[in-house]
Amino acid sequence: MDRLIYVDNAATTRILPEVLDKMMPYLTEQYGNPSSLYSFGQNARQAIDEARDTVAKYLNCRSDEVFFTSGGSESDNWAIRMAAHMLEKKGKKHIISTAIEHHAVLHTLNALEKQGFEVTLLPVNEYGLISIEDLKNAIRDDTALVTIMFANNEIGTIQPVAEIGKICRERGVLFHTDAVQAVGHIPVDFSGMNIDMLSLSAHKFHGPKGVGALIVRKGIRLPSLIEGGAQEKGRRAGTENTAGIVGLAEALKLSCEKMDEVIPSIKAKRDRLIEGILKTVERSRLNGDPVHRLPGNANFSFEGIEGESLLLLLDFKGICASSGSACTSGSLDPSHVLLAIGLPHAIAHGSLRITLSDDNTDEDIDLLLEVIPQIVSQLRSMSPVWEKIVKGEKYE
Amino acid sequence: MAQYYSDFVMEHFTNPRNVGELEDANGVGEIGNAKCGDIMKMYIKVEGDRIVDIKFKTFGCGSAIATSSIATEMIKGKTIEEALKLTNKAVVEALGGLPAHKIHCSVLAEQAIKAAIADYYKRQGIDPTPIVGEIQDHHEEACDI
């Protein structure tokens, strides 16, 4: 293996050296507890306060609306579970979401269904977009919450969040968005988009793992999920992850400051990859919306092959990517997202997700364009499904 | 370097033995379906009571391809009687183990060989069921066997 080609940036990203530098003092000499009265503890408190201001600045929210958590899954669980329980008291037991949410949302909704909540999952079109009409029609008098992801982790489709926010605000329904894949990658405007609650995770934008945030609009009395001490104004207990929080803010600052420059450059590489693959590999398709799409996301399906074998052979060439096949999900079904956009099971098994970051070079794209078609044809040569496709026989 | 599969599984996956189609096969068996994400197709050539040649084609994950490869190696040149004694357990052992949720791949390999032998008997005008037994395949609703 010559070098590592990391193109799985929707899974996690490389921590930036500048981010680690900012964190290091809080992992070493500045170990004081931010809740302690003495100056040694107050140094850490000050670092957290500054981090909160930074997050507020780049996401256009108030500092006192930012609550640090352990990451995206905790933020999603907190927002959805506690909003549901808060509004249940007002007789509202209906929640609206989509069929393509992350499991942190879908499994939380399943748990609430078992507790007597009713959940409506909006369908998506072939590109992974919800219909605004469907949303309007789904909102009822007893709807407590709308939770719709900002951008999809698998196919990269970006939902019309501002429109969703406007409708929810007009109808007086709380709106939460899982923005884990969006923050640091595309502009996110908490206030301007009428968002009530927003989840984010630092390691998706070159920050450290194990830290995230939930932004909660002022005035929403969201109860605590984690009970204990009075940290985060009594809303989220547990001694603060000072280094993680400082790292999150620095990573967000760096990502947002260079966004205008990075988006076009990543998009250009991604589009060259998409065009090249679709042109050279027969019976391949792009999954997700061609326009409303995260800058770094390319998701392909190749008929006649299975995704896990593809990933293993890519790994042999030092390429780290991901797939929505059943074998890689550890379940018997392929990705719920690929099924929701209407892909037949057999084609969903043959999917490949490439997610680029600013680290990826034109040489990386050249290598992907050389290696992917080779591996696809190698696997097709030993596939009985491909044999049927070539003969024009039915195989699903 | 840490790996998901053992070196031996990876070796069979990256350099599969007996892969392809057999022009003069007199028994062909196919197990699995594309919906479930794995299909194994075995081609055998039987002379007398012996499997003199075998080839496979597989659509599936790394372990499906590796189990197909090792299973063909294990029965090539064996008598039908010996081939029918091949269990999925023996295939897993020969590979030095598989991750728990990949064990079904070895069942597919065992059943695909049985299906090919059954097809051979059918072509001879012999009812294969008393000799080969029932072939297990994916059910309509569930993908696990």
Side-chain angles (χ1 to χ4, degrees), chain A residues 45-258:
Chain A
R45 159 72 41 220
Q46 194 185 343
I48 292 171
D49 288 343
E50 285 171 12
R52 209 183 301 281
D53 292 343
T54 303
V55 172
K57 177 183 167 193
Y58 289 102
L59 298 183
N60 192 25
C61 64
R62 297 165 53 114
S63 295
D64 60 3
E65 292 175 324
V66 179
F67 299 91
F68 293 110
T69 66
S70 65
S73 292
E74 183 193 324
S75 297
D76 286 342
N77 269 264
W78 181 13
I80 296 168
R81 277 177 199 270
M82 300 325 286
H85 291 308
M86 178 175 73
L87 290 158
E88 185 183 11
K89 294 182 188 120
K90 294 184 178 171
K92 294 185 174 187
K93 293 197 75 173
H94 177 236
I95 303 169
I96 298 168
S97 189
T98 79
I100 61 165
E101 297 297 310
H102 189 274
H103 285 130
V105 169
L106 286 180
H107 290 173
T108 301
L109 293 175
N110 289 345
L112 288 170
E113 272 184 310
K114 284 183 190 142
Q115 294 168 28
F117 286 86
E118 195 186 330
V119 175
T120 300
L121 293 185
L122 300 176
V124 291
N125 69 10
E126 61 178 310
Y127 301 116
L129 283 169
I130 65 147
S131 129
I132 290 292
E133 276 312 300
D134 285 351
L135 171 66
K136 284 182 183 166
N137 294 334
I139 297 176
R140 315 189 309 210
D141 290 343
D142 66 338
T143 302
L145 174 73
V146 169
T147 173
I148 294 176
M149 71 198 323
F150 206 113
N152 185 267
N153 50 313
E154 292 188 43
I155 56 175
T157 302
I158 302 167
Q159 300 297 341
V161 173
E163 266 185 276
I164 298 168
K166 188 167 170 277
I167 289 160
C168 291
R169 192 61 55 90
E170 282 167 7
R171 302 285 292 269
V173 178
L174 276 189
F175 171 42
H176 165 254
T177 185
D178 172 351
V180 164
Q181 295 289 337
V183 169
H185 298 276
I186 52 174
V188 172
D189 181 345
F190 183 82
S191 299
M193 292 172 164
N194 289 310
I195 300 166
D196 292 314
M197 296 186 285
L198 178 146
S199 304
L200 66 100
S201 175
H203 77 103
K204 304 292 191 184
F205 49 88
H206 303 279
K209 292 171 183 60
V211 61
L214 180 67
I215 319 294
V216 183
R217 188 166 59 83
K218 195 167 171 64
I220 299 173
R221 303 291 307 154
L222 188 72
S224 302
L225 178 71
I226 313 272
E227 300 283 357
Q231 291 88 357
E232 300 293 283
K233 295 188 294 296
R235 307 284 280 276
R236 198 280 187 183
T239 298
E240 297 88 340
N241 174 2
T242 311
I245 290 166
V246 167
L248 181 153
E250 184 65 14
L252 183 65
K253 177 179 152 229
L254 294 171
S255 299
C256 291
E257 278 182 352
K258 60 179 184 178

Side-chain angles (χ1 to χ4, degrees), chain A residues 308 312 327, chain B residues 2-6 99 101-102:
Chain A
E308 194 215 69
L312 289 170
C327 273
Chain B
Q3 284 185 164
Y4 181 67
Y5 290 121
S6 69
H101 68 284
K102 299 289 184 179

